[in-house]
Amino acid sequence: MKIETFDAAIQPGQGGWSHVVFAKAEQPAVLFKAPRGTWDWSATSKLRIPVENPGDEPLPLMLRVESAADQSLRGSVTIAPHSAGDLTMWLEAPLPRSMGMVGGPPLMSDGREPNTWPVRATGGSVDASHVTSVRLATWRPPAPRPLTVGPLRVEPPSEADKTAYDGIVDGFGQYRPGSWPEKVNSVDTLRRRGEEEARQIAQWRAQAPKRDRFGGLLGSVAFRATGFFRTERSGDRWWLVTPEGNPFFSIGMDTVSPGEATYITGREFMFRDLPPRDGEFAAQWSQHDDRRGLLVQRGRAFDHGLAFDFFTANLERKFGADWRSRWRGETVARLEAWGFNTIGSWGDPGIWAMHRLPYTVQLSPEGEFARIGTGQDWWGPMADPFDPRFAEAADRMARNAAAKFRGDPYLLGYFVDNELSWGRSSGDPHAR
């Protein structure tokens, strides 16, 4: 086997092991090349690479398997400091995105493959009968990083590989095969931990600095009270000022809202103990369709059909029929205890109405107007600000928002639109 290095040094050891030092560079790497041009791993398509991280810091690694016709399969994993095990990648495994997931099941965490770091490929494909090289790399290490690498070998996929996605979600929406201290195993556990957390939250809130009812800090700088949030420049800095005239440093959390349904249709085999559609949690079942043609949606598997909301089901288990109001009260208490003082964009209007924390409102121009796209627009084409109808839409947006919110002293302000597409980074002015 031929070994090439890129911004890395390698020292052969005993038994086929090598000692690698990745340099401080953009993407230092070691490339293992097939001695006769290609490897035929079609019958034994699971790659296993023994590694050891002797360093004091976690080491992120990128694994890239390449085959003829410029095909490649790639994934990443992080090796804990002073630990050893095997990187494993099944070349013919389904990509996690094809299963509707960002990453694959962690077989090591549930004890099915101890001392391994499964590398679930996140993109690409290879011809297992014509593998040309295996590349191990890290990215932008702040200092030289050591890695010990053992001889590459291949083996047939295990039964755990073949059934990795079967029944992996339990009735609470958790990873069923795994075990960790916070895992919920019963409704009684869910409720008991909620009671324990409530006591802890009460202690944290009691220790918080003294503030006015809007979260402004008392006993420091004083400003004129106007009854609404505003900005004021004092000396060489700008301040946010609460309606009562106290300085305010906004620390917000966005998307404070309950629920996010999980698609079930087409991958029922992944879920265990789903409640019946006409049973106690019937309200948590729904039909959705996210096939809207946006770039962010393209290539996503399981994007329409029957869905179940594990989060709101767990809230109902924890609080009962009035879970929504109980959730709002608990959520605000949590945020206050954790040091947050603002409800960011896409918050639940019911939390705004509680008048416990200042909030911001997300707005978008309302109406039909021209849009400009490049074909690479993540959420959709950019609004054309030179279309006269755009000015009308912006005015309509402002009037409607003012009519609804202008009298509320807890309104901190508005965010208008979000993550607009300005074209890909390139030298083409038309793409910008």
Side-chain angles (χ1 to χ4, degrees):
M1 179 171 57
K2 183 178 179 181
I3 303 177
E4 297 180 0
T5 59
F6 304 87
D7 294 315
I10 189 167
Q11 181 69 38
Q14 296 180 347
W17 286 76
S18 300
H19 304 287
V20 178
V21 176
F22 294 114
K24 182 181 178 181
E26 181 71 18
Q27 193 176 113
V30 177
L31 185 68
F32 303 91
K33 302 181 73 172
R36 297 180 178 84
T38 62
W39 286 295
D40 183 358
W41 291 345
S42 55
T44 53
S45 58
K46 182 175 180 178
L47 173 64
R48 187 177 287 270
I49 309 174
V51 296
E52 179 182 357
N53 176 12
D56 298 327
E57 301 291 334
L59 180 62
L61 290 175
M62 293 181 289
L63 178 61
R64 183 184 183 99
V65 179
E66 299 177 334
S67 67
D70 294 327
Q71 292 180 307
S72 67
L73 194 64
R74 53 198 177 273
S76 61
V77 68
T78 297
I79 310 301
H82 303 292
S83 60
D86 290 351
L87 302 180
T88 63
M89 178 186 278
W90 180 22
L91 306 186
E92 297 176 347
L95 295 177
R97 283 184 66 86
S98 72
M99 307 301 291
M101 298 173 65
V102 174
L107 300 182
M108 183 177 67
S109 71
D110 57 40
R112 284 187 284 176
E113 289 197 359
N115 301 317
T116 65
W117 287 287
V119 183
R120 295 290 178 190
T122 56
S125 63
V126 293
D127 178 356
S129 65
H130 290 83
V131 175
T132 57
S133 64
V134 174
R135 183 185 184 95
L136 269 179
T138 187
W139 54 92
R140 296 181 180 176
R145 289 283 185 261
L147 178 69
T148 305
V149 183
L152 280 62
R153 65 183 189 272
V154 289
E155 60 189 32
S158 66
E159 189 63 26
D161 289 312
K162 297 176 182 178
T163 60
Y165 291 91
D166 292 354
I168 62 172
V169 184
D170 69 10
F172 293 97
Q174 304 167 119
Y175 181 54
R176 184 185 60 81
S179 178
W180 57 93
E182 298 83 9
K183 188 173 184 179
V184 174
N185 297 307
S186 68
V187 175
D188 287 341
T189 300
L190 191 67
R191 293 171 178 169
R192 184 179 68 253
R193 290 183 180 170
E195 294 169 356
E196 294 170 354
E197 183 193 15
R199 290 191 289 271
Q200 180 68 70
I201 284 176
Q203 295 176 10
W204 287 340
R205 293 178 68 197
Q207 299 167 3
K210 297 299 182 183
R211 299 184 175 94
D212 67 22
R213 65 190 179 103
F214 299 97
L217 195 63
L218 297 173
S220 57
V221 184
F223 297 92
R224 180 173 55 89
T226 64
F228 295 96
F229 274 98
R230 63 185 182 85
T231 60
E232 180 174 329
R233 182 161 185 164
S234 177
D236 60 351
R237 69 175 60 181
W238 282 94
W239 295 80
L240 276 171
V241 181
T242 69
E244 295 183 353
N246 294 302
F248 183 75
F249 189 87
S250 177
I251 304 175
M253 174 70 73
D254 68 10
T255 323
V256 181
S257 59
E260 188 69 33
T262 298
Y263 282 110
I264 307 296
T265 299
R267 52 176 180 172
E268 291 83 356
F269 65 93
M270 294 174 61
F271 300 89
R272 286 272 298 267
D273 306 319
L274 280 171
R277 292 185 60 186
D278 57 354
E280 179 183 7
F281 301 104
Q284 314 310 331
W285 286 96
S286 57
Q287 289 277 348
H288 293 275
D289 193 336
D290 286 321
R291 297 172 294 179
R292 293 179 292 173
L294 300 180
L295 183 63
V296 68
Q297 304 286 1
R298 294 174 197 168
R300 176 182 294 183
F302 310 106
D303 56 1
H304 65 285
L306 193 62
F308 184 74
D309 196 323
F310 288 97
F311 182 64
T312 53
N314 289 338
L315 289 176
E316 189 171 347
R317 291 179 176 113
K318 181 177 179 179
F319 293 128
D322 63 339
W323 64 265
R324 193 176 294 274
S325 61
R326 295 278 301 278
W327 168 82
R328 286 170 177 154
E330 180 184 77
T331 297
V332 171
R334 279 178 169 177
L335 292 173
E336 290 175 337
W338 296 340
F340 292 97
N341 59 17
T342 305
I343 303 295
S345 292
W346 307 286
D348 175 40
I351 285 187
W352 303 345
M354 293 174 68
H355 282 177
R356 289 266 299 275
L357 291 176
Y359 65 93
T360 64
V361 176
Q362 184 72 29
L363 301 177
S364 293
E366 303 171 11
E368 295 296 327
F369 46 84
R371 296 180 180 273
I372 303 171
T374 66
Q376 301 293 326
D377 311 298
W378 196 242
W379 298 112
M382 183 80 173
D384 181 357
F386 300 104
D387 184 347
R389 294 175 298 172
F390 177 77
E392 297 171 1
D395 286 344
R396 188 179 304 111
M397 171 191 72
R399 286 194 301 270
N400 291 342
K404 187 174 182 179
F405 297 106
R406 64 185 172 193
D408 191 347
Y410 277 83
L411 174 67
L412 180 62
Y414 304 99
F415 283 98
V416 180
D417 230 314
N418 182 63
E419 295 183 7
L420 299 176
S421 299
W422 289 79
R424 292 290 181 92
S425 297
S426 70
D428 180 6
H430 296 90
R432 289 176 172 268

